[in-house]
Amino acid sequence: MADLKAENRNLHKAVDVLEEHLAVRQALAEAIAKPPIVKLKKREQRDAIIPIAVNTDEHYDETFTLEETGGLNEQNPEIAEAKVETYIERLIRLIEREALDNPVPLLVMPFLGDMITGELHAKSERLSPMTPLEASRFAYRLKRQIIDSLLATDLPRILIPCVDGNHGRTTAKRTPGLNARYSHETDVYLRLADHYEEAGEKRVQFYIPQTDFASLEIAPGFRLCITHGDSVRGGGGIGGIAPSLLRAASRWREAYPADLYLLGHHHQYWDLGSIAMSASAVGYDPYAASMGLSPTPPSQLFTTLNAGRLTRGTTAPIWL
């Protein structure tokens, strides 16, 4: 009798286990037959996003062939114009993507210099078929094309801080404190600013301090500082130019405290958080090839600032 009772208890336990298995299988079958639907919640007011689109080291007038760069890159005025069109299209797409979920109150578009090749090197090293004045007029027209195309969108405001590069200068050497006064690029910036002011275009605002550094607040509590980057030396060690960038930023903070430093000049892309360096729009050229530098495709840095969190968000190169 005792054995029968024990066997009965075991059978009840087995039935309980089978019933649990059946319940699980039934729940799985229902889930597979009708998966849960995720519905979008009503969109709440989100933090503003401020896109930052760097323009640097374009060398619009520079001309060289594939043979001069080992088949890696070429440029001439026609290619430069095509790059500008590509830049405009891809920049507008990136801004539209950011605007899908967040308000975009303004675009910050720093001009970091070296739009033209100029007469920095001796005649045998020049790569431009244009004189500096001709190159400046060419650069002016291409910058107008970029700005006018952005104004054709619904961007509420475009803020353009400007610094000059080293290629646009009219002196043999840099003249500290007076660089902008002897730069073809500063003249281009001032002509652009005059054009949009005379046209009554209030959505475009230029900031041209005519110093090596331009520092400004682009959102409450967040300051941006830009410089061309030719004051940064080094870059031949194991860490590349990163240690030089960090040392430079530590010095800059004493006179130009900022949350983000942007620069170009070195035709390389580096992002160290609070300091970012854009690659060049011209890309790998004969000078870089002669120096044995690592080839870098033509691109410009794009990043964003979340105005609520005061931190950077999307960061990507705009390939040209």
Side-chain angles (χ1 to χ4, degrees), residues 172-238:
K173 295 182 179 180
R174 295 283 275 180
T175 51
L178 299 173
N179 292 327
R181 293 181 60 186
Y182 295 95
S183 171
H184 290 291
E185 292 173 332
T186 301
D187 179 60
V188 173
Y189 299 152
L190 293 172
R191 285 162 52 203
L192 286 167
D194 287 344
H195 166 77
Y196 289 104
E197 183 178 3
E198 292 169 2
E201 181 51 75
K202 299 186 181 300
R203 289 191 293 160
V204 178
Q205 179 185 356
F206 280 83
Y207 177 54
I208 313 171
Q210 299 192 40
T211 57
D212 291 343
F213 293 83
S215 178
L216 68 164
E217 191 175 64
I218 61 173
F222 193 94
R223 180 163 287 272
L224 171 69
C225 181
I226 66 171
T227 186
H228 178 62
D230 51 328
S231 63
V232 179
R233 307 295 182 184
I238 294 176

Side-chain angles (χ1 to χ4, degrees), residues 66-87:
L66 288 171
E67 289 74 17
E68 295 174 279
T69 59
L72 295 176
N73 192 28
E74 64 178 336
Q75 176 149 307
N76 55 50
E78 291 75 22
I79 292 176
E81 290 177 317
K83 284 180 178 178
V84 167
E85 292 180 6
T86 299
Y87 176 78

Side-chain angles (χ1 to χ4, degrees), residues 80-113:
E81 290 177 317
K83 284 180 178 178
V84 167
E85 292 180 6
T86 299
Y87 176 78
I88 293 168
E89 292 171 358
R90 294 180 177 177
L91 173 57
I92 291 175
R93 287 199 201 102
L94 285 168
I95 295 171
E96 288 176 343
R97 188 175 69 176
E98 295 297 328
L100 288 175
D101 294 317
N102 299 77
V104 176
L106 79 154
L107 164 69
V108 180
M109 189 163 58
F111 288 177
L112 303 187

